[in-house]
Structure formats: C-alpha cells, structure tokens
Amino acid sequence: FIETYAQDQPVYQYHPLFREFLLSRAEGLLPPLQKASVRHDAAALLAESGRMEGAASLFREAGDWNGLLALILRQPETLIAQGRNKTLEKWIEYIPVEVLEKTPWLLYWLGVCKQPFSPTESRMLFEQAFQLFQKQKDPEGTLLAWANAVDTIIFEWDDFTLLDRWIEWLDRRIKRNSSFPSPEIELRVVSSMAGTLLYRQPFHPDIRKWMDRAMILSQETQNVNLRLQACISAVNYYAWMGDLHNCNGVAEEIRKIALPQQASPLILLTWKWMEGLIYNRTADSYGKSLKSISEGLEIAEKTGVHVWDHMLLSQGVYACLNEGDMTMAGKFLKKMEGALERNRRHGLCQYYYLAAWHR
C-alpha cells in the first residue's frame, strides 16, 4: 500500500495494480445487484469525505442516478466558482437524457457550465429549464433561468430581438407580483433586466428605475460577481447617456472589486471590454485602452473563455484608429477577423464597419 496523510490522519491506498486485480475479481464474482450496492456505498463514503469526482464515477457505474443527482445539486455554485465548469458538465452528462430533460435544475446548471464557452447552447438549456420551472411553480428557478437566458442572448451577440419576449414576461410578472424569493435573486434579475433594456429597449420608460435599483442592491451584497454585473450595466448606461461623471465613478468602483481570483472569467472579460470602450471615449487614453484589451485577452487565454475575443479586439481597432496608428489597427483587424464566428452577426457588423473605416 501507499501511505498518505489527510488532515493529520493516515490514509492507506492500494497500489494501482493490486486495486485493478481486486476490481477484476469483484467483476467476475459478485452478482450485479451486489456490485451496484457496493459501488453505491463506496460512492457515499467518497462523497462524505469530499472526494466528489470519485463519488460521481461510482454513482455512474452503479447506475444510481438519484445518488448522482444529489451529488451534483449539493455544491454546483462552488464548482462553478472554482472554474470547474467542465467537471460539473461531465457529471451532468452522465445522467440519462430522459432524466435530464425532466429535471430543470440539471438543465439550468448544464446551461451555466456551457455559458462561457457556447452561449447558443446554453441559451437553449435555460429556455428548457425556464419552461419546466414555470410548470413546477418554482419561482427561484424560474427567475434564475430568466436572468441567465437574457444574459446569454447578450453574450451570443447576434439577435437582440430575442430579448423582447423575455422583457415582456418580466414586465407582466412585476405588475402581478413585485416580490422576489431573496435579495440575491432580486439583484440577479434586476441587473440582467437593466442590461437587457440597454441593448434592446433603451427607450423603455422604466430603464432608469431598473438601473438605479441594481446599483442600490449591489451595495448590499458580498457577492463579487453580482456587484460587478450591476456596475457593468450601470457604467455602460452612463457612457451611452453621455454622463461621464457617473460613468467614471462607477468604473473606479469596479476596479476596486474586480479581483481575478474572486470574479468569474466571463464577468471579468465583459469588464475588460467595457473598460477599453470607456478609455476609447476619453482623450489621451490610448495606452490605457490597449492595456485593458491586453489584460482581457490574457484572461481569455488562461481560462479558455473566448466569447468576447472579437469585441476586445474591436476596441483595439478603435483605439488605434483614434490614435492614427494605421499599422496597429490593421493588425488588430486581422486578429478580429480570425476570432469572428459567422453566426454572431453583430460581431460581423462591427468588423465590416471597422474595416471600412480603416480603408
């Protein structure tokens, strides 16, 4: 055996070859029901000791979908916060499709896993979850699925008309019932609604109310990602309205809280794009804009989250054209062209507009 230590307690582990021998013997000697029972008991012990990956594999081998489901829903937020989207996604995809499609929380967390890498796929999962949550009369799930669905349409950066029915749904819901299951869920929904209106219905009569409410609630939470999301929507709104005083004030607040080890890569990348955009609207900020863009591209490379690459690069083109640096603008344009996805039409629009300006 190999002796190791965990929390000052000795742990003994069979040599891999001997372990394989024992597993092979068990496979041949134990009847199917007993094998499933042993795997279930072993999985439960592993889960209890915090060894989740081993537990997930054993629940799968035992065909114990209830055990695996309980394991998945035990700590999904923690796994996502640790950047272990792919691990959680793998566990959820162990579940048979017929079980997955009837369990809205599984669909929801699968959508969360895929959101930084495939906005279109995640949007469809959030839509499925939203419908099921509504049927099951689950207000918490319904509102969280709503918020993630609209966010994903923005991350998708293709067809903002898809936001109309979601805006209409929330407007109706608020008229009927303005309460929320918790302050965190309220902030999550309010921030998403504020950003959604900004991109799709800036003429909405209540846009400023949503924005102000998001900022008030953001001061009352310790959740870094929720605070950042609210502030990013506000800074974008103030920039569009020409209110540079408030825009710069919120931008400074974001810089104080945007710690890479606490914030999600997708939120950080959204901020780096927005920061580059703000600098591009300010005199003598060419170097600062390029620094923000460079930092954003570095985060994307480290995390594998490339949803905003083309938008970061577009701000590089803006910065260089504003500065009159045609050579560097051309280099950013070439990189932007390589990062484009043909099914994200707003990105294509930006590229052709900038290419025309460069020419």
Side-chain angles (χ1 to χ4, degrees):
F1 58 82
I2 302 166
E3 185 175 328
T4 57
Y5 289 85
Q7 296 178 339
D8 298 325
Q9 297 296 319
V11 176
Y12 301 96
Q13 181 179 338
Y14 287 124
H15 188 284
L17 290 176
F18 185 48
R19 181 175 178 277
E20 286 300 317
F21 166 74
L22 291 177
L23 288 172
S24 173
R25 293 286 289 166
E27 194 66 39
L29 293 174
L30 297 179
L33 284 177
Q34 191 177 353
K35 276 188 290 188
S37 176
V38 169
R39 283 178 176 136
H40 169 84
D41 292 345
L45 287 169
L46 286 173
E48 191 179 325
S49 63
R51 299 174 65 183
M52 300 302 177
E53 296 203 31
S57 295
L58 283 173
F59 278 131
R60 181 196 185 194
E61 288 173 25
D64 184 353
W65 308 124
N66 287 333
L68 182 55
L69 179 58
L71 181 77
I72 289 167
L73 297 181
R74 181 171 164 180
Q75 54 169 11
E77 299 96 337
T78 303
L79 289 168
I80 295 296
Q82 293 170 349
R84 299 174 67 194
N85 296 52
K86 294 297 182 183
T87 297
L88 183 57
E89 181 179 340
K90 182 177 72 175
W91 294 357
I92 295 172
E93 289 179 345
Y94 284 161
I95 302 278
V97 174
E98 60 271 19
V99 177
L100 175 63
E101 291 184 343
K102 293 176 183 174
T103 313
W105 280 112
L106 284 179
L107 292 167
Y108 172 82
W109 285 110
L110 187 57
V112 172
C113 291
K114 291 179 180 289
Q115 194 175 45
F117 309 102
S118 178
T120 303
E121 259 189 290
S122 67
R123 172 171 58 81
M124 292 187 285
L125 288 162
F126 290 131
E127 287 180 2
Q128 279 182 272
F130 177 82
Q131 298 300 334
L132 283 174
F133 281 133
Q134 280 198 294
K135 284 181 184 175
Q136 295 179 7
K137 301 191 185 311
D138 182 337
E140 179 180 339
T142 300
L143 289 165
L144 287 173
W146 181 94
N148 277 280
V150 299
D151 287 352
T152 301
I153 292 168
I154 294 170
F155 294 142
E156 199 173 9
W157 213 247
D158 178 49
D159 184 1
F160 292 154
T161 64
L162 296 174
L163 293 168
D164 288 339
R165 69 184 180 92
W166 296 98
I167 294 170
E168 185 184 348
W169 181 88
L170 190 61
D171 275 339
R172 285 200 314 269
R173 196 266 186 193
I174 292 298
K175 284 176 185 173
R176 189 176 67 253
N177 177 10
S178 61
S179 67
F180 290 86
S182 71
E184 276 216 343
I185 289 176
E186 182 179 6
L187 175 55
R188 183 74 184 79
V189 172
V190 169
S191 295
S192 293
M193 182 63 156
T196 295
L197 292 176
L198 186 63
Y199 283 105
R200 179 57 188 161
Q201 293 184 16
F203 49 81
H204 192 286
D206 294 329
I207 185 170
R208 185 61 186 247
K209 289 179 185 175
W210 285 105
M211 203 66 68
D212 290 345
R213 184 64 180 156
M215 288 305 295
I216 290 167
L217 289 169
S218 73
Q219 303 304 313
E220 300 169 2
T221 183
Q222 298 302 311
N223 187 311
V224 169
N225 288 313
L226 289 180
R227 284 188 70 192
L228 281 173
Q229 184 181 17
C231 289
I232 288 168
S233 292
V235 84
N236 200 8
Y237 173 77
Y238 292 135
W240 281 21
M241 295 298 108
D243 184 351
L244 294 182
H245 174 74
N246 275 322
C247 175
N248 291 331
V250 179
E252 280 307 310
E253 185 177 340
I254 292 173
R255 292 185 189 106
K256 291 174 186 173
I257 61 176
L259 303 175
Q261 64 271 27
Q262 294 179 13
S264 79
L266 195 51
I267 293 286
L268 274 178
L269 287 168
T270 305
W271 163 238
K272 284 300 166 186
W273 158 50
M274 192 63 56
E275 188 176 44
L277 183 152
I278 292 165
Y279 283 136
N280 280 334
R281 291 176 176 175
T282 309
D284 302 323
S285 292
Y286 170 67
K288 289 181 181 178
S289 179
L290 292 188
K291 183 173 182 288
S292 298
I293 293 155
S294 174
E295 288 170 351
L297 293 171
E298 189 177 333
I299 292 167
E301 196 59 39
K302 282 182 180 175
T303 61
V305 178
H306 295 286
V307 167
W308 284 132
D309 279 12
H310 68 287
M311 294 304 292
L312 283 162
L313 293 164
S314 75
Q315 291 306 316
V317 182
Y318 279 110
C320 294
L321 289 175
N322 285 337
E323 187 70 10
D325 187 343
M326 303 302 289
T327 303
M328 198 65 184
K331 289 179 180 178
F332 271 115
L333 262 177
K334 190 169 182 61
K335 288 179 182 177
M336 185 181 176
E337 183 181 19
L340 285 172
E341 296 175 36
R342 296 287 152 179
N343 62 334
R344 298 174 74 184
R345 290 169 290 179
H346 194 283
L348 288 172
C349 165
Q350 284 270 351
Y351 169 74
Y352 287 122
Y353 166 70
L354 289 169
W357 186 9
H358 183 250
R359 290 296 183 95

